[in-house]
């Protein structure tokens, strides 16, 4: 009887944690069609790049704000819901205002950028909530995270089958509708994910130990790595529709590509507990970067949709390593009081990289073609991966700083 109650309680948390992942990533998959939506409205490659770059700039501001909110409230779940509600409202307003102009300015662009502002911090706040909840309930994170990857695969396959340039606007409505269940799941996890439970007292900013984070050379090295790695990595997906178009395929096929890539995350996540016994989370981050580099290099010479599918296997493996290792690696670099800040700051500098990646990528494509863009991207990611690996030797032997694993201290 006692074992049955324990099992039922465990199943409850598996359902809530997995449900949060599944509903969030099912909804977020709809955001991948932003480029297709803009293309159908007649925007050029450089104009799409500019809009995406402005969106990245906005993410730079909103992402650390979301993280600071989460740490101050001592509730990543509560901060997540505040920002997600804003994303739901503004996303629904994008297609509704696509034909409205005020003094010549398209109103939908304003709501598109606002939706990016609210959406930017939510993924990191969600993952931090789930990881903390999984740890506090003894639930295997890799298993519940695989729910998110599976829902992403299924939704991308469905969207890839039905979305073309002409109807891409409906993805904004889908995003808003599918995000609504996330509000419930986040609220239901507060008792196991918040620091101190539902009745936790918020911190003052003066009580937050920022110096422990920003004086940690391993965290600073990671932030620098994220910037230079994500300049090309963040824009690879943005420009995939143009590669599809060049090869004579519908730009809407990007949904199939995303589904195929995400399918590889599932076995990687399910094996993550065994993987971490053989390789560290840090190694997973580096391996992810190397696989992304290999994809960039090979995408420079592919000639068909099926070759693109095959090459996407590399980023699928890379995504698996990222999902299994990156968030937990950052947790090892940050004190408990600044977990959300550390995570969202990393996401924020990734957005900084997105600005450069989208602007430079658009210029390269217009000047010398999509192939050269992917070749340059692959070379850059390869160099950055090697330099980041060497940084650990430099910090330990030259700066004389030993690695401190905060995740073990907080446990």
């Amino acid at each position: 009887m006692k074992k049955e109650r324990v099992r039922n309680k465990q199943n409850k948390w598996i359902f809530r944690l997995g449900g949060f992942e599944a509903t969030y990533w099912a909804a977020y998959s709809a955001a991948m069609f932003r480029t297709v939506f803009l293309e159908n409205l007649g925007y050029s490659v450089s104009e799409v790049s500019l809009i995406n770059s402005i969106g990245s700039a906005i993410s730079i501001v909103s992402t650390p704000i979301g993280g600071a909110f989460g740490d101050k409230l001592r509730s990543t779940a509560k901060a997540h819901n505040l920002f997600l509600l804003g994303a739901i409202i503004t996303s629904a307003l994008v297609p509704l205002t696509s034909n409205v102009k005020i003094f010549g300015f398209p109103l939908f662009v304003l709501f598109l950028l606002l939706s990016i502002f609210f959406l930017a911090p939510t993924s990191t706040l969600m993952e931090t909530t789930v990881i903390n909840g999984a740890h506090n309930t003894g639930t295997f994170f890799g298993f519940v995270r695989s729910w998110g990857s599976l829902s992403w695969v299924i939704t991308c396959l469905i969207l890839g089958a039905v979305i073309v340039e002409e109807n891409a606007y409906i993805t904004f409505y889908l995003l808003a509708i599918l995000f609504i269940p996330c509000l419930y799941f986040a609220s239901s996890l507060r008792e196991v994910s918040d620091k101190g439970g539902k009745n936790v007292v918020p911190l003052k900013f003066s009580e937050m130990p920022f110096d422990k984070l920003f004086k940690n050379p391993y965290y600073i090295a990671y932030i620098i790595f994220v910037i230079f790695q994500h300049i090309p990595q963040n824009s690879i997906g943005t420009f995939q529709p143009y590669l599809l178009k060049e090869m004579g395929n519908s730009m809407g096929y990007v949904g199939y590509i995303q589904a195929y890539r995400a399918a590889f995350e599932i076995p990687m996540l399910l094996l993550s507990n065994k993987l971490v016994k053989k390789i560290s989370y840090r190694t997973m981050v580096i391996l992810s970067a190397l696989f992304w580099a290999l994809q960039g290099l090979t995408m420079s010479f592919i000639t068909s949709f099926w070759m693109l599918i095959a090459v996407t296997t590399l980023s699928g493996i890379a995504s698996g390593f990222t999902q299994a290792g990156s968030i937990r690696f950052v947790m090892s670099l940050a004190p408990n009081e600044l977990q959300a800040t550390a995570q969202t700051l990393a996401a924020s500098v990734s957005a900084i990289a997105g600005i450069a990646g989208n602007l430079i990528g658009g210029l390269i494509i217009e000047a010398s073609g999509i192939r050269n863009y992917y070749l340059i991207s692959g070379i850059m990611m390869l160099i950055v991966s090697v330099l980041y690996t060497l940084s650990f030797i430099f910090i330990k032997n030259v700066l004389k700083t030993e690695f401190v694993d905060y995740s073990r201290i907080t446990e």
Side-chain angles (χ1 to χ4, degrees):
M1 203 61 186
K2 184 178 179 181
K3 287 183 178 179
E4 186 177 344
R5 284 198 300 269
V6 171
R7 191 183 303 112
N8 289 337
K9 189 174 182 180
Q10 188 67 28
N11 289 339
K12 178 184 77 171
W13 294 121
I14 290 173
F15 172 74
R16 291 183 181 181
L17 292 162
F20 195 12
E21 289 278 359
T23 54
Y24 182 89
W25 289 112
Y28 199 90
S29 64
M32 296 300 101
F33 291 84
R34 192 180 296 146
T35 297
V36 182
F37 171 73
L38 292 170
E39 164 75 11
N40 184 60
L41 292 179
Y43 286 80
S44 67
V45 175
S46 58
E47 288 171 331
V48 172
S49 298
L50 178 60
I51 292 173
N52 283 325
S53 296
I54 294 172
S56 295
I58 290 171
S59 298
I60 293 167
V61 177
S62 68
T63 303
I65 288 175
F69 249 95
D71 284 326
K72 178 176 172 53
L73 296 172
R74 304 181 76 185
S75 173
T76 51
K78 191 172 183 179
H80 169 274
N81 278 0
L82 289 172
F83 279 84
L84 193 67
L85 189 58
I88 289 171
I89 295 170
T90 52
S91 293
L93 289 171
V94 171
L96 286 173
T97 58
S98 60
N99 295 318
V100 180
K101 291 186 177 182
I102 298 178
F103 301 112
F105 179 81
L107 187 59
F108 87 91
V109 173
L110 173 62
F111 290 117
L112 178 63
L113 296 176
L114 282 172
S115 70
I116 293 172
F117 174 89
F118 288 113
L119 191 57
T122 59
S123 62
T124 308
L125 291 168
M126 182 274 295
E127 295 288 15
T128 304
T129 300
V130 172
I131 288 177
N132 287 331
H135 173 75
N136 293 330
T137 58
T139 305
F140 174 28
F141 169 71
F143 176 64
V144 295
R145 179 60 184 81
S146 69
W147 288 35
S149 296
L150 180 60
S151 71
W152 174 278
V153 170
I154 293 171
T155 312
C156 282
L157 285 174
I158 295 171
L159 294 177
V162 300
I163 299 298
V164 293
E165 288 88 336
E166 291 75 18
N167 66 3
Y169 69 92
I170 67 174
T171 57
F172 290 92
Y173 295 128
L174 285 172
L175 185 146
I177 294 169
L178 294 175
F179 264 140
I180 292 174
C182 294
L183 299 172
Y184 159 74
F185 282 114
S187 296
S188 72
L189 291 171
R190 286 189 59 194
E191 65 181 282
V192 294
S193 66
D194 288 1
K195 300 175 180 68
K198 286 187 175 182
N199 299 319
V200 69
V201 178
L203 288 173
K204 297 178 181 178
F205 281 113
S206 60
E207 297 174 321
M208 299 167 70
F210 291 107
D211 59 319
K212 287 185 181 179
L213 182 64
F214 297 113
K215 289 183 180 179
N216 182 351
Y218 290 98
Y219 181 73
I220 299 303
Y222 177 75
I223 291 297
I224 294 171
F225 161 74
V226 168
I227 292 173
F228 288 100
Q229 168 68 14
H230 285 230
I231 286 175
Q233 184 178 312
N234 279 9
S235 55
I236 280 180
T238 299
F239 296 118
Q240 264 188 349
Y242 295 109
L243 182 59
L244 286 165
K245 188 176 182 180
E246 183 189 87
M247 294 187 299
N249 300 288
S250 167
M251 296 177 82
Y253 282 8
V254 69
Y256 293 126
I257 302 297
Q258 292 295 333
Y260 180 80
R261 177 193 58 75
F264 280 87
E265 295 176 5
I266 299 172
M268 298 292 290
L269 287 163
L270 294 177
L271 292 171
S272 60
N273 269 12
K274 293 182 179 180
L275 280 172
V276 78
K277 293 177 182 178
K278 298 181 181 296
I279 60 175
S280 65
Y281 292 131
R282 180 176 70 189
T283 302
M284 289 183 189
V285 169
I286 294 170
L287 286 173
S288 174
L290 288 171
F291 276 106
W292 274 109
L294 288 173
Q295 173 173 310
L297 292 170
T298 51
M299 283 178 74
S300 63
F301 60 80
I302 61 173
T303 57
S304 71
F305 172 74
W306 293 111
M307 288 181 71
L308 178 56
I309 284 284
V311 167
T312 302
T313 302
L314 295 169
S315 61
I317 296 171
S319 294
F321 278 123
T322 297
Q323 298 301 334
S326 64
I327 292 180
R328 286 185 281 189
F329 175 56
V330 174
M331 282 185 161
S332 72
L333 299 173
N336 189 52
E337 300 90 342
L338 292 176
Q339 287 292 314
T341 298
Q343 299 286 358
T344 52
L345 181 60
S348 182
V349 297
S350 174
I352 294 175
I355 293 177
N358 282 303
L359 285 174
I360 296 171
L363 292 173
I364 292 173
I365 292 170
E366 291 199 332
S368 58
I370 190 81
R371 311 278 176 179
N372 283 334
Y373 157 74
Y374 282 117
L375 178 62
I376 293 169
S377 296
I379 293 171
M380 181 175 177
M381 288 187 285
L382 185 61
I383 292 172
V384 171
S385 301
V386 173
L387 291 176
Y388 182 55
T389 303
L390 295 174
S391 73
F392 294 101
I393 300 173
F394 177 81
I395 293 171
K396 182 177 181 179
N397 297 320
V398 179
L399 299 183
K400 306 296 182 183
T401 304
E402 293 292 329
F403 182 79
V404 176
D405 189 342
Y406 282 102
S407 65
R408 294 187 183 278
I409 293 173
T410 56
E411 286 174 2

